[in-house]
Amino acid sequence: MTNRKILFDFDKIIPRQGTGSRKWDALENVFGSNDVLPLWIADMDFSSPKAVSTAIIERANHPIYAYNTQEKSIYQSVIEWAKKRHGWEIEEEWILLAPGVVPSISLSIFALSEPGDGIIIQPPVYPPFFASIKDNDRKVIENPLLSKNGRYEIDFEDLEQKLAEPNNKLLLLCSPHNPVGRVWSREELKKVYELCQKYEVDVLADEIHNDLVFQGHKHTVFASLGTPVCKQSVTFMAASKTFNVAGLNFSFIIVPCKRRRGLIQNWITKLHISRNNVFGGIGTEAAYRDGEAWLDALLIYLEKNADTLVDFIQTRLPEVKVSKPEGTYLVWLDFRAYFTNDKELQKFLVQTAKVGLNAGRNFGTQGEGFARINIATQRSVLLEALTRIENALLNYKKI
Ligand SMILES: Cc1ncc(COP(=O)(O)O)c(C=O)c1O
């Protein structure tokens, strides 16, 4: 029998300082202090699958990094991965390459809406969702999620009202959802799909976390809800979160509708961003072709981290509220029993507990008193961070 733990040693600390890591090397800038333990930005403290570095090193050994083309085999690897992991059949011509999901969201907003149009989001949600709407002169329309004892659900009544408003042209869906860790069920997505069909609102589905789903849950590709595919959808996918290769700046925009695809392609052309990083496609293809066993082992490790965190909080910090994530490696912590003011909470986390988490307020007004922790790190690091929070809270006078 193969021993996964030895094949993939996620407990091994891999120092990242000095590698230009935003998470580890920008602490002074981000938190105003170098002595915080960083569990914030959404990348992992684990090595990518060996196949990724092998493929990149092999290409890097050739000393010319000039203009490159993207091989057909890259597209093929995405098609095979989507079919194998998500049961979704993509046609090659639907795939557009892009330098990342956030820029792809902006491109799609340019292409499928006009300045002044409303774009619906479901906060608390990934902060660039707000920025990509506001910065492009569209209007943020909030359909806040409802928390039921810490587990978040979609407010369908409110969603229908927002979709029915003619000025609201797009729904920007986060699936699985960052930061609340929900893997939307097929039934929930089907309801969203039906409402969007009814009011003719296109859906931009950010599915960057689609592979990071825990036992008992299944990711449903939004576009797959149509027959045979939802033409009113644009799907964003990447190997970046799954295989920890965000620095390769490589992602996919999957657009089944020819007209919509043409509109997005026009923006790619206009902005002259059709060329991709020479290593992006190589690393992505290697990950999709040879990274599956690594991913299966990673998911077991991440889920154990999620259990460790929830158990620690429920037994040792019961006033901090947490719900076990169904997917992603991001967990939403509710500190409102101690702090109602986000600035106070951040100050406490950074200066007293000496941990660097994401401030909840950045995910929308609903995040006041919350923080997001990234559990994609060695379990020993996670436990060190939790112990720091526990010790600091023990000395903190409850308000
Ligand atoms: C929901 C979501 N979308 C997009 C991104 C970032 O995508 P990219 O780095 O490809 O722009 C993240 C990163 O955390 C994310 O959580």
Side-chain angles (χ1 to χ4, degrees):
M1 210 178 96
T2 35
N3 186 341
R4 285 252 165 93
K5 200 158 186 313
I6 291 169
L7 266 182
F8 308 108
D9 186 1
F10 297 108
D11 279 324
K12 183 169 166 229
I13 304 267
I14 302 167
R16 299 181 63 191
Q17 291 89 343
T19 62
S21 154
R22 176 140 176 80
K23 188 181 189 182
W24 288 87
D25 288 327
L27 296 176
E28 181 71 48
N29 243 340
V30 177
F31 296 105
S33 159
N34 269 323
D35 65 352
V36 298
L37 192 57
L39 293 91
W40 62 292
I41 194 170
D43 70 19
M44 305 196 266
D45 292 331
F46 310 126
S47 307
S48 293
K50 186 92 181 87
V52 174
S53 43
T54 304
I56 290 176
I57 290 167
E58 194 179 304
R59 174 61 187 83
N61 277 333
H62 188 290
I64 298 177
Y65 313 114
Y67 294 125
N68 59 304
T69 63
Q70 297 299 347
E71 302 291 337
K72 251 192 171 326
S73 56
I74 297 170
Y75 293 83
Q76 213 43 48
S77 72
V78 183
I79 291 170
E80 281 165 22
W81 184 260
K83 180 145 197 287
K84 186 164 50 171
R85 296 296 291 199
H86 304 293
W88 189 33
E89 305 220 14
I90 305 172
E91 291 177 22
E92 187 179 319
E93 65 179 16
W94 299 354
I95 304 174
L96 303 174
L97 301 184
V101 167
V102 174
S104 304
I105 291 173
S106 287
L107 283 173
S108 306
I109 288 175
F110 290 148
L112 302 177
S113 68
E114 298 294 332
D117 284 350
I119 300 181
I120 304 167
I121 56 172
Q122 299 176 308
V125 76
Y126 181 53
F129 276 27
F130 295 87
S132 59
I133 298 171
K134 285 189 206 153
D135 294 349
N136 296 316
D137 304 318
R138 273 65 168 173
K139 261 174 46 197
V140 171
I141 306 294
E142 296 196 4
N143 165 229
L145 298 175
L146 297 172
S147 168
K148 305 245 166 96
N149 293 322
R151 184 175 186 270
Y152 284 80
E153 293 180 3
I154 294 172
D155 182 345
F156 284 102
E157 212 176 295
D158 180 72
L159 178 62
E160 178 153 17
Q161 281 173 21
K162 306 279 157 71
L163 290 168
E165 168 59 50
N167 194 48
N168 296 340
K169 296 292 166 38
L170 297 169
L171 167 67
L172 178 49
L173 183 74
C174 195
S175 174
H177 193 282
N178 167 11
V180 305
R182 281 297 319 280
V183 174
W184 304 118
S185 69
R186 193 176 176 80
E187 290 65 40
E188 287 170 308
L189 290 172
K190 191 96 196 168
K191 267 191 184 173
V192 174
Y193 168 78
E194 279 158 8
L195 287 172
C196 290
Q197 292 285 110
K198 180 171 169 189
Y199 294 102
E200 298 183 350
V201 170
D202 283 6
V203 176
L204 305 181
D206 179 344
E207 303 192 9
I208 196 169
H209 295 281
N210 60 1
D211 296 313
L212 300 169
V213 169
F214 299 143
Q215 288 281 322
H217 301 280
K218 186 162 172 24
H219 175 73
T220 302
V221 174
F222 184 83
S224 73
L225 292 167
T227 7
V229 68
C230 174
K231 291 262 169 116
Q232 285 174 227
S233 69
V234 175
T235 307
F236 309 108
M237 287 186 180
S240 53
K241 297 289 150 195
T242 313
F243 294 105
N244 208 23
V245 291
L248 294 180
N249 283 89
F250 200 85
S251 73
F252 312 98
I253 313 177
I254 304 169
V255 202
C257 164
K258 191 172 173 193
R259 183 183 66 80
R260 290 172 175 83
R261 192 165 62 247
L263 292 170
I264 296 172
Q265 179 61 60
N266 281 347
W267 273 97
I268 293 177
T269 309
K270 259 195 221 182
L271 295 171
H272 300 270
I273 51 167
S274 58
R275 281 187 281 114
N276 290 89
N277 182 295
V278 65
F279 298 111
I282 288 170
T284 299
E285 181 177 347
Y288 283 150
R289 291 231 184 276
D290 297 316
E292 194 167 26
W294 178 94
L295 173 61
D296 288 339
L298 171 80
L299 289 173
I300 292 169
Y301 193 87
L302 286 179
E303 183 161 8
K304 186 82 200 299
N305 271 7
D307 287 332
T308 303
L309 170 101
V310 171
D311 182 60
F312 189 108
I313 289 184
Q314 288 177 346
T315 53
R316 288 161 65 169
L317 298 170
E319 292 192 60
V320 177
K321 300 293 172 211
V322 64
S323 172
K324 184 180 165 184
E326 298 170 351
T328 83
Y329 47 73
L330 307 164
V331 189
W332 195 228
L333 300 178
D334 179 352
F335 285 94
R336 286 176 301 172
Y338 295 94
F339 301 91
T340 44
N341 177 302
D342 220 50
K343 285 209 170 68
E344 287 292 309
L345 169 58
Q346 266 305 301
K347 196 167 149 208
F348 166 82
L349 290 171
V350 171
Q351 295 180 7
T352 312
K354 299 199 182 305
V355 292
L357 312 187
N358 287 87
R361 182 64 180 75
N362 294 342
F363 296 77
T365 51
Q366 302 79 2
E368 194 81 48
F370 289 76
R372 189 192 75 177
I373 187 166
N374 175 349
I375 60 167
T377 189
Q378 289 72 33
R379 199 157 300 134
S380 58
V381 176
L382 176 63
L383 284 167
E384 164 69 21
L386 291 170
T387 308
R388 287 187 188 195
I389 296 171
E390 179 186 34
N391 290 338
L393 279 176
L394 283 177
N395 296 321
Y396 182 78
K397 219 164 91 288
K398 201 178 153 211
I399 49 172

